[in-house]
Structures are given as C-alpha cells and as structure tokens.
Amino acid sequence: MLVVKNISFRYDKTRVVDNISFKVKKGQVVAIIGESGSGKSTILKLIYGEKDLEEGRVSWCNKKILGPKDKLIAGHEFMKHVTQEFDLMPFTTAAENIGSHLSNFNPEKKKKRISTLLNIVGLSDCANTKVLRLSGGQKQRVAIAKGLAAKPEVLLLDEPFSHIDSYKKRTLRRGLFDYLKSNQISCVIASHDKNDVLSFADYVAVVEEGKIIAAGTPEDLYKDPVLPKIAAFFSDFSFINGKIYYTNQIKIVPNSKQKAIVSKNYFNGKDYIVEAEFESQTILITSSKPIKKNETINIRFDK
C-alpha cells in the first residue's frame, strides 16, 4: 500500500502542499484533481521523492520514500513518474525509448514487451519513428508506455492525456486503466479532466491551494459536490438559493409557478443546453431540442 501521510511542502515561503493525506491500495487508482497551480504536480513529485518533504511521510509497503537529501538520484525501481515534460530521448525511436528501461539479456522477450506496450498506447505503426518526428500526443503515449515498461508497482501520471486528441483519448484511457487493474498496478493520477476520473478512479481528492477540500468516490463527489467548484469539474450547473443543480436536474415541464426566459441554446451532441434567466440569474437546462430565444418556459428543480 502507498501511504501519503500529512505531507507539506513550500517553495521559498509559500506553502504549496499543506497537510495532504491519502492511501492507495494495490491496484487502486487515486485521482488528484484541481485547477492549475493547486499543487497537484508537486504532490506527485513529493511521492516520487523528487523533492524533500517539509513535514509528513510517504511510504510504499512500509518502506519510506526518500528525497534528495537522502537519495542522490530521485526515483525507485518499483515506481515510475510520467511527467508533462515526457522525459524522452528525441533522437531515438519510439521503440528504443520504451526499451531503454528493459534488460538486453533476452532480446526476444524485450522485443515482445515493447510490442505489447506500443499496442496498449496505440502506436504500433510508429515503433521505428524517431521521437522528434512524433506529435505532442504521440510523445505523451510513448512516455506512458516507457513508464510501464519495467512493470512498476506504482505509476504516477501527471495530466497523462492532455496532449492527446479527443478521439484517441477514449480508447487509450480504457486500454491503460484496464491494463493497470489487470496487473494490480497502483496509480495516482493528477488531472483536470473529469473523463480521466469518473469511470476509472476508485478515490478522488479535490485539491485547492495545496489542501484537500473534498474527497471520496467519483460517484459520491458527483452526486453531492458540496461546493460549486467541485460541481464545475464534473459538468455545467446552476447555483440557486444555495443549492447546486446540474443541467439535467432542472426540468422543463408543461406547467409550473417557476418560469424562465430563454436566452441561448448550445448543441452538445445528444441534446441541447438551454441558457435562461430565472429570478435575475442565469441558469442552464438540458433540453432534447432547442427553444426559441425570449420564449418563457415552465421549470421544476429536481435533486
């Protein structure tokens, strides 16, 4: 089990990680979500031992993770950290990058392992392409495969799909997280994308200014977001009389004492988001069809 207990860290005099604690069981996926600058990436660096803790402790299977003061070279054999900078060798091929963490003792076994990982990240046709010729999204996928190459017990992912095209992300997410689960690899992912979290994380910690402001399963946080900024992570919403309503929780009905005036429509693929004015504030409603501007509609709030 990976245990992060009461860790804190500051740059100069500014505390950017403040008393963070959580646990990751074998094979679990824990997501750290929050806005840019909230401390997500720094938390991963502290877990990896890239920076020294000001307070607290990080351990894996009761073994303390050491920082630069106690360990000259950051990192551990059982843990890999996939950063936003990719950490690739640009003048070698995708296959050579992935294989750089693998032993040459059994060339056939190494070749098979590289082929498996290229297939997981959807880059089999780029095996012999030099990294400098790959797109940002392709480089990110090579970095993920490289992180998996030596079969780590813990994988740290920092915004792992941020450079990847939307139509590629869906397949890659499913393949990657299925692989992690089936191989019992513990994962901590820092992300600002709900699609990295909702279907795949076992536990989510919401971070703001280095502190955890909410934590729980994705389903619990979605159903009871507590704060508007948490609801905003998952979906469009309206904040009315101190309550949070997602767009599908405001219904358009034939008759109601509560009325709103339509101002705009946004097509989102399967339906429309209708923007309307209700009691001098803007609300958002899911509708199966667009509604004419300035039309008065009857609404009902469901929780």
Side-chain angles (χ1 to χ4, degrees), residues 15-35:
R15 182 168 283 197
V16 293
V17 175
D18 191 355
N19 198 34
I20 296 288
S21 295
F22 59 85
K23 296 178 181 179
V24 191
K25 296 177 182 178
K26 194 170 184 178
Q28 264 196 331
V29 175
V30 169
I32 303 170
I33 65 173
E35 299 175 353

Side-chain angles (χ1 to χ4, degrees), residues 29 82-84 86 120-121 136-137 140-141 144 155 157-177 180 187 189-197 200:
V29 175
V82 180
T83 70
Q84 295 185 59
F86 308 147
I120 289 170
V121 298
Q140 195 162 37
R141 285 186 274 164
I144 292 169
L155 186 65
L157 299 174
D158 193 356
E159 303 286 0
F161 312 111
S162 58
H163 295 269
I164 299 170
D165 296 333
S166 295
Y167 68 93
K168 290 279 188 183
K169 283 183 185 181
R170 290 186 286 272
T171 302
L172 178 59
R173 279 194 197 99
R174 287 194 293 270
L176 174 60
F177 288 113
L180 296 179
C187 177
I189 174 173
S191 180
H192 64 271
D193 187 341
K194 70 175 181 180
N195 295 308
D196 296 346
V197 173
F200 306 108

Side-chain angles (χ1 to χ4, degrees), residues 200-211:
F200 306 108
D202 299 293
Y203 181 84
V204 181
V206 185
V207 177
E208 182 179 54
E209 296 181 353
K211 296 181 179 180

Side-chain angles (χ1 to χ4, degrees), residues 30-285:
V30 169
I32 303 170
I33 65 173
E35 299 175 353
S36 297
S38 61
K40 303 188 302 294
S41 296
T42 303
I43 292 169
L44 294 190
K45 290 176 181 178
L46 292 168
I47 294 171
Y48 192 59
E50 189 175 328
K51 297 184 179 296
D52 288 307
L53 292 168
E54 178 185 312
E55 297 171 4
R57 174 186 169 97
V58 178
S59 63
W60 171 250
C61 296
N62 296 316
K63 181 180 178 181
K64 184 179 179 181
I65 305 296
L66 303 176
K69 288 180 182 177
D70 301 299
K71 196 172 187 295
L72 186 61
I73 300 174
H76 304 266
E77 285 296 318
F78 61 83
M79 184 186 299
K80 293 299 176 186
H81 183 198
V82 180
T83 70
Q84 295 185 59
E85 289 76 36
F86 308 147
D87 189 28
L88 300 174
M89 300 175 289
F91 297 101
T92 58
T93 67
E96 288 168 334
N97 267 271
I98 295 167
S100 63
H101 286 333
L102 299 175
S103 170
N104 291 315
F105 183 75
N106 188 330
E108 198 57 39
K109 184 178 179 181
K110 179 177 179 178
K111 184 179 178 180
K112 186 177 180 181
R113 178 69 178 157
I114 292 170
S115 178
T116 297
L117 292 167
L118 283 167
N119 185 56
I120 289 170
V121 298
L123 285 178
S124 295
D125 57 346
C126 296
N128 298 314
T129 304
K130 288 187 177 180
V131 164
L132 62 85
R133 294 180 180 174
L134 298 176
S135 69
Q138 289 172 325
K139 289 176 183 175
Q140 195 162 37
R141 285 186 274 164
V142 172
I144 292 169
K146 184 178 178 181
L148 290 170
K151 299 182 179 179
E153 295 177 81
V154 181
L155 186 65
L156 308 177
L157 299 174
D158 193 356
E159 303 286 0
F161 312 111
S162 58
H163 295 269
I164 299 170
D165 296 333
S166 295
Y167 68 93
K168 290 279 188 183
K169 283 183 185 181
R170 290 186 286 272
T171 302
L172 178 59
R173 279 194 197 99
R174 287 194 293 270
L176 174 60
F177 288 113
D178 283 350
Y179 178 86
L180 296 179
K181 287 289 185 184
S182 62
N183 287 274
Q184 286 291 285
I185 297 171
S186 302
C187 177
V188 183
I189 174 173
S191 180
H192 64 271
D193 187 341
K194 70 175 181 180
N195 295 308
D196 296 346
V197 173
L198 273 175
S199 299
F200 306 108
D202 299 293
Y203 181 84
V204 181
V206 185
V207 177
E208 182 179 54
E209 296 181 353
K211 296 181 179 180
I212 294 178
I213 59 171
T217 66
E219 186 175 359
D220 287 343
L221 290 178
Y222 178 86
K223 290 182 176 179
D224 185 16
V226 184
L227 297 170
K229 62 185 64 181
I230 298 173
F233 175 80
F234 292 111
S235 184
D236 289 319
F237 72 97
S238 302
F239 192 58
I240 303 161
N241 298 324
K243 293 183 179 180
I244 295 167
Y245 294 91
Y246 292 116
T247 58
N248 64 338
Q249 293 176 321
I250 305 177
K251 308 293 186 183
I252 299 173
V253 295
N255 296 292
S256 174
K257 292 181 179 179
Q258 297 167 316
K259 302 181 186 297
I261 300 174
V262 174
S263 54
K264 293 177 184 176
N265 292 272
Y266 302 95
F267 181 58
N268 69 357
K270 61 180 180 180
D271 47 37
Y272 291 81
I273 302 297
V274 175
E275 184 178 292
E277 298 301 312
F278 172 73
E279 294 183 354
S280 301
Q281 61 182 309
T282 300
I283 62 173
L284 300 171
I285 310 164

